[in-house]
């Protein structure tokens, strides 16, 4: 069954107020003829395609009208709106920067928002075809703005060399810690001690500081670190009665803190002779002396030899020492001490009023206080005995 087309018949005046919709067929009475109107809605023209005004077409009479009422007959060409054509303009290149994209030179039509390679607008460009990619920074070799140390990080600043940029970036320089050397130098030793240090900053390596070998060993003149003992100059000497050796008589013109008694002495007249002893009161009340080292040639230390040398804290006795006189080191600041095996006599109060906490006897056998045996085997006990000795002398009987 064929569906019949529905026709609405209205007067021309009424039709003027009827809203037309695309595809709606209107039957309009006009001068005895009923137009069967088909509306054609207007289309805007573009740069490249024609547009048209809204118009109406009667299928029965074949006429075209500009109005829905059918009062203004037109030609179909009259409804055409010609294509506008491009409103082309040249756009200069926008240079890319280190961080922003640029754009190539091109032609552009704002009407259709289209870019072209040519002025004739025949070769359109896609958006990505316009882009000149950001250049990225061109960093220089950098400069150290915060120096790195062995214990702290530093900083290095880089600057972009591209004209007009000048942006900077900062990188950390991570510290690598100390680089300790295993060799001694003039900077890692003094007159008494040596230590290891960082070869970069000179910082001392913890736990490496020690006395030179010759400070604690009376038999050597040179330390493994390369330092050599410097024997004290300016001391006064006297000849022994038989003229076979010298005795240190007094400090003379010596004013140092570290007293190194030499093995021998030459007065320029009698020739070189060994130094065997230290006279009574030779250095008593000398508060300048802080260290005394006696060579193995020293056999005796006289009474009060170092009496009340209040700053004397380090004492090294030689392996040839036999006798330590009364009050020889009374009132000194010595805390630890080794008594060589060669010692056989220690005078009364030789170490009284000292700061002794530990005394090591290399030979503990045969010691007496004149009436009974004395046990010096324990270093702490030995220190206590020597400090509290009052007028007691100690003698070791050879076994």
């Amino acid at each position: 069954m064929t569906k019949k087309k529905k026709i609405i018949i209205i007067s021309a005046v009424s039709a003027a107020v009827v809203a037309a919709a695309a595809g709606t067929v209107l039957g309009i009475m006009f001068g005895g003829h009923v137009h069967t109107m088909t509306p054609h809605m207007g289309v805007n023209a573009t740069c490249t395609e024609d547009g048209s005004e809204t118009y109406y077409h009667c299928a029965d009479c074949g006429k075209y009208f500009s109005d829905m009422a059918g009062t203004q007959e037109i030609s179909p060409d009259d409804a055409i709106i010609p294509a506008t054509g491009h409103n082309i303009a040249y756009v200069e290149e926008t240079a890319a920067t280190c961080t922003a994209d640029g754009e190539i030179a091109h032609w552009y039509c704002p009407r259709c928002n289209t870019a072209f390679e040519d002025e004739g607008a025949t070769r359109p460009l896609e958006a990505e075809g316009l882009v000149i990619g950001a250049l990225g920074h061109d960093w220089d070799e950098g400069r150290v703005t915060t120096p790195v140390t062995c214990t702290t990080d530093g900083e290095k600043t880089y600057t972009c060399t591209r004209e007009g940029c000048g942006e900077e970036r900062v990188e950390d320089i991570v510290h690598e810690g100390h680089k300790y050397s295993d060799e001694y130098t003039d900077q890692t030793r003094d007159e008494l001690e040596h230590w290891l240090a960082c070869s970069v900053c000179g910082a001392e390596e913890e736990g490496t500081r020690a006395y030179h070998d010759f400070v604690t060993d009376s038999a050597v003149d040179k330390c493994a670190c390369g330092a050599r003992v410097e024997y004290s100059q300016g001391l006064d000497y006297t000849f022994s009665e038989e003229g076979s050796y010298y005795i240190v008589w007094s400090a003379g013109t010596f004013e140092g803190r570290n007293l190194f008694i030499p093995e021998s002495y030459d007065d320029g007249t009698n020739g070189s002779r060994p130094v065997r002893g230290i006279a009574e009161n030779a250095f008593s009340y000398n508060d300048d002396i802080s260290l005394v080292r006696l060579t193995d040639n020293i056999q005796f230390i006289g009474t009060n030899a170092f009496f009340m040398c209040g700053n004397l804290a380090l004492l090294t006795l030689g392996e040839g020492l036999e006798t330590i006189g009364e009050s020889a080191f009374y009132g000194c600041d010595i805390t630890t001490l080794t008594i060589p095996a060669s010692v056989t006599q220690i005078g009364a109060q030789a170490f009284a009023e000292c700061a002794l906490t530990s005394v090591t006897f290399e030979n503990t056998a045969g010691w007496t206080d004149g009436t009974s045996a004395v046990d010096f085997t324990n270093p702490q006990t030995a220190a206590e005995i020597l400090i509290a000795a009052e007028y007691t002398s100690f003698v070791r009987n050879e076994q």
Side-chain angles (χ1 to χ4, degrees):
M1 180 176 180
T2 303
K3 185 176 181 180
K4 294 181 179 180
K5 183 183 293 184
K6 184 177 181 181
I7 300 175
I8 302 173
I9 301 174
I10 60 176
S11 67
V13 176
S14 299
V17 296
V18 175
T24 300
V25 178
L26 302 176
I28 299 174
M29 180 73 71
F30 189 82
H33 173 67
V34 178
H35 290 302
T36 305
M37 291 292 198
T38 300
H40 296 268
M41 304 307 295
V43 178
N44 291 331
T46 68
C47 293
T48 57
E49 295 183 359
D50 293 340
S52 71
E53 303 285 353
T54 298
Y55 67 92
Y56 303 88
H57 177 238
C58 176
D60 292 331
C61 66
K63 294 181 179 180
Y64 296 87
F65 302 92
S66 63
D67 63 324
M68 186 173 58
T71 62
Q72 301 294 325
E73 184 178 354
I74 62 173
S75 165
D77 291 340
D78 293 338
I80 294 174
I81 302 173
T84 62
H86 293 296
N87 183 22
I88 202 76
Y90 182 70
V91 179
E92 293 185 352
E93 178 180 303
T94 301
T97 68
C98 295
T99 57
D101 291 341
E103 195 172 67
I104 65 172
H106 61 280
W107 298 85
Y108 176 69
C109 175
R111 287 176 180 162
C112 60
N113 191 29
T114 305
F116 300 92
E117 289 185 50
D118 60 320
E119 186 177 7
T122 61
R123 298 190 298 276
L125 289 168
E126 297 295 335
E128 56 269 22
L130 292 171
V131 175
I132 301 173
L135 303 175
H137 293 296
D138 186 10
W139 301 112
D140 63 10
E141 295 181 356
R143 66 191 187 282
V144 175
T145 47
T146 301
V148 66
T149 71
C150 292
T151 57
T152 60
D153 291 343
E155 288 183 339
K156 191 172 186 178
T157 300
Y158 297 85
T159 303
C160 181
T161 60
R162 295 192 190 281
E163 184 177 356
C165 181
E167 186 169 331
E168 295 183 338
R169 67 178 175 88
V170 177
E171 287 186 358
D172 288 337
I173 306 173
V174 180
H175 76 273
E176 299 179 353
H178 293 297
K179 293 181 173 62
Y180 293 115
S181 172
D182 57 0
E183 296 182 357
Y184 298 101
T185 68
D186 290 341
Q187 285 70 48
T188 61
R189 54 181 167 238
D190 56 26
E191 55 186 344
L192 293 182
E193 297 176 308
H194 55 245
W195 58 91
L196 295 177
C198 176
S199 59
V200 177
C201 70
E204 181 177 335
E205 183 177 0
E206 186 176 354
T208 63
R209 182 174 285 269
Y211 286 116
H212 294 312
D213 298 342
F214 56 74
V215 172
T216 56
D217 187 342
S218 60
V220 299
D221 288 341
K222 182 179 178 181
C223 181
C225 76
R228 288 184 176 274
V229 64
E230 293 186 7
Y231 289 109
S232 302
Q233 302 295 313
L235 300 174
D236 277 343
Y237 296 89
T238 186
F239 244 154
S240 62
E241 292 181 1
E242 72 279 14
S244 62
Y245 60 87
Y246 282 102
I247 301 170
V248 179
W249 184 254
S250 71
T253 59
F254 170 75
E255 295 180 350
R257 294 184 302 110
N258 307 314
L259 179 61
F260 291 95
I261 306 294
E263 294 181 339
S264 61
Y265 176 70
D266 186 346
D267 65 359
T269 301
N270 299 299
S272 178
R273 298 284 192 278
V275 178
R276 296 293 189 194
I278 299 173
E280 296 181 2
N281 300 302
F283 299 96
S284 58
Y285 294 103
N286 189 326
D287 285 336
D288 292 331
I289 297 175
S290 61
L291 173 149
V292 172
R293 189 201 82 151
L294 307 182
T295 69
D296 293 350
N297 279 353
I298 299 293
Q299 296 176 342
F300 63 91
I301 301 171
T303 300
N304 297 329
F306 294 94
F307 182 84
M308 293 301 293
C309 291
N311 291 316
L312 175 53
L314 181 61
L315 173 63
T316 302
L317 303 176
E319 295 296 329
L321 183 64
E322 299 174 359
T323 303
I324 301 174
E326 291 184 10
S327 302
F329 295 97
Y330 185 102
C332 293
D333 199 31
I334 305 164
T335 57
T336 61
L337 179 65
T338 297
I339 304 294
S342 56
V343 175
T344 58
Q345 295 182 42
I346 300 175
Q349 293 191 315
F351 296 98
E353 299 299 323
C354 282
L356 288 171
T357 58
S358 176
V359 178
T360 300
F361 278 76
E362 291 184 344
N363 189 341
T364 60
W367 284 98
T368 71
D369 59 7
T371 57
S372 58
V374 179
D375 185 2
F376 285 134
T377 56
N378 183 283
Q380 287 72 38
T381 301
E384 294 171 0
I385 292 172
L386 292 180
I387 291 173
E390 295 188 358
Y391 294 103
T392 303
S393 298
F394 302 96
V395 177
R396 182 172 62 84
N397 299 314
E398 297 290 348
Q399 301 295 311

